[in-house]
Amino acid sequence: MSSINELKALFREKFGYDDKIEIYAAPGRVNLIGEHVDYCGGPVLPAALTVGTTLLARKRNDNILRLMATDLDVTVEAPLDDLEKFKGTLKWGEYTLGVAFEMLKAGFKFCGYDMLYHDTVPHGAGLSSSAAVELSTAICFAAGAEADIKSPRLLTELALISQKAEHNYIGVNCGIMDQFASAMGKKDNAVYLNCATLEHEYVPLKLGDYKLVIANSNKKHALGDSKYNERREECSEAFETLKKVMPDITCLADVTCADVSEYSELFKNATIKNRAAHVASECERVHKFVEALKNGDLSTAGKLMNESHISLRDNFEVSCDELDILAGSASRYSGVLGSRMIGAGFGGSVLSIVHKDRVDEFISDIGQEYSGKTNLKADFYISEIGDGAREL
Ligand code: GLA
């Protein structure tokens, strides 16, 4: 990663000065378990990564946002009072404009900025590079509005605003998991988050002799956003169906696997029933995973990851051949406790719990097997768990 001084030099090169620069950082996230349940009010267990977005920003005397990125040859200029017109028109920069748009709506008052983005999370890898951009932007504007950017309450609000930016500006009806993890992550801890209430608990990630290894399939998720929104609608439909016979439920995550079986005849078709079955079983797995983690029982945690993958593949249908190949080979590999796809799916990454003495061979063997079967090259990372959004 480039050092802060290198980034400052780059800022000077791009914008012509480097005084009064403020620097903010927000991480990507890895989700240990609890996939496609956040928008159903379920529990999730993400952890913030040490990679993410570093944002160098400098206040301007006007209301223009001028955006650049270290890895792109692009400049976006947008006035704060006319952000809506850029919606859907840009190849890059919409996350920033969407966050600015929603923060202004929420009453934050801030001026224009020159902003240079430096991303170290690979895009499209299921590691929430977009949440990292959103949260680094949101804390920058919040600091500009003189809010206390260390306050958990404000960080939670910024996560919710960033989620709104995704819904209203980007057009993805995402849940709250990624933005919450990026805002509130804590070094060496996972965040056990109830997505219905936003109550959360930090669970120390004591992995002993094991490492969390991410394999990025480098398969670009085609149609990911539209399929994502479709899954959300299917879950709403499952909820509406069950609500008729279970009036006390407030979200699909309130439903157990036994409920799904009992009322299986009521669903419009097998697809909707399978979506509900995934959500109910995944929520149960998250609670069991947390218990296993607290008891130091990583082998149970690993088994739950394998089950999660199968449910995402067969019941929720958000996996793809590339992810199945990676997760399949990884879960059979000696020294691996469990493996599953992470994030929205249709491409992206697979997470595995791997014994530290096997990591190098794992990367080389699984990498080779994967290229042999797909003609794609996977990238591997050993996850380190870091802090949430902050000023540097
Ligand atoms: C994406 C979304 C999250 C969550 C995951 C799937 O990362 O942004 O809200 O729904 O997919 O678990």
Side-chain angles (χ1 to χ4, degrees), residues 136-155:
S136 61
T137 305
I139 53 168
C140 169
F141 295 150
E146 287 176 15
D148 173 9
I149 59 169
K150 289 196 173 139
S151 133
R153 182 189 290 244
L154 176 88
L155 288 166

Side-chain angles (χ1 to χ4, degrees), residues 371-389:
S371 343
K373 289 185 176 163
T374 63
N375 288 326
L376 287 171
K377 190 183 159 304
D379 289 319
F380 291 85
Y381 312 90
I382 299 176
S383 322
E384 286 174 42
I385 305 306
D387 283 318

Side-chain angles (χ1 to χ4, degrees), residues 29 34-39 128 174-178 228 343-344:
R29 63 99 190 93
E35 216 64 86
H36 282 281
V37 296
D38 59 348
Y39 51 81
S128 290
C174 66
I176 189 62
M177 170 170 75
D178 304 347
Y228 184 91

Side-chain angles (χ1 to χ4, degrees), residues 29 31 34-39 44 126-128 130-131 163 166 172-179 228 232 278 282 312 316 340-345:
R29 63 99 190 93
N31 186 24
E35 216 64 86
H36 282 281
V37 296
D38 59 348
Y39 51 81
V44 293
L127 301 173
S128 290
S130 53
Q163 183 196 20
E166 291 262 2
V172 177
N173 284 325
C174 66
I176 189 62
M177 170 170 75
D178 304 347
Q179 288 76 15
Y228 184 91
R232 242 198 117 133
H278 166 71
E282 185 76 354
L312 288 159
F316 217 67
R340 68 175 203 88
M341 57 151 282
I342 52 171

Side-chain angles (χ1 to χ4, degrees), residues 243-365:
K243 176 93 181 151
K244 289 187 190 126
V245 284
M246 302 176 67
D248 292 342
I249 58 170
T250 58
C251 56
L252 189 57
D254 287 346
V255 166
T256 63
C257 295
D259 297 328
V260 177
S261 303
E262 184 176 346
Y263 297 117
S264 63
E265 300 300 314
L266 300 181
F267 295 105
K268 188 172 90 185
N269 53 42
T271 302
I272 304 294
K273 189 200 92 184
N274 290 342
R275 305 303 188 236
H278 166 71
V279 172
S281 64
E282 185 76 354
C283 292
E284 287 175 12
R285 281 188 288 273
V286 177
H287 299 306
K288 287 187 191 155
F289 190 104
V290 170
E291 206 184 297
L293 210 53
K294 287 181 176 172
N295 294 332
D297 178 5
L298 288 180
S299 78
T300 296
K303 286 193 189 108
L304 291 162
M305 283 172 66
N306 292 339
E307 287 171 20
S308 170
H309 184 83
I310 291 168
S311 177
L312 288 159
R313 183 190 69 195
D314 298 345
N315 280 337
F316 217 67
E317 296 180 277
V318 288
S319 190
C320 59
D321 290 347
E322 291 77 1
L323 294 176
D324 291 342
I325 289 169
L326 277 174
S329 328
S331 61
R332 290 187 294 270
Y333 199 80
S334 111
V336 172
L337 297 180
S339 189
R340 68 175 203 88
M341 57 151 282
I342 52 171
F346 305 105
S349 298
V350 160
L351 173 70
S352 307
I353 307 185
V354 187
H355 193 281
K356 66 175 185 356
D357 298 340
R358 299 285 290 152
V359 168
D360 291 344
E361 282 155 290
F362 171 85
I363 292 176
S364 127
D365 292 348

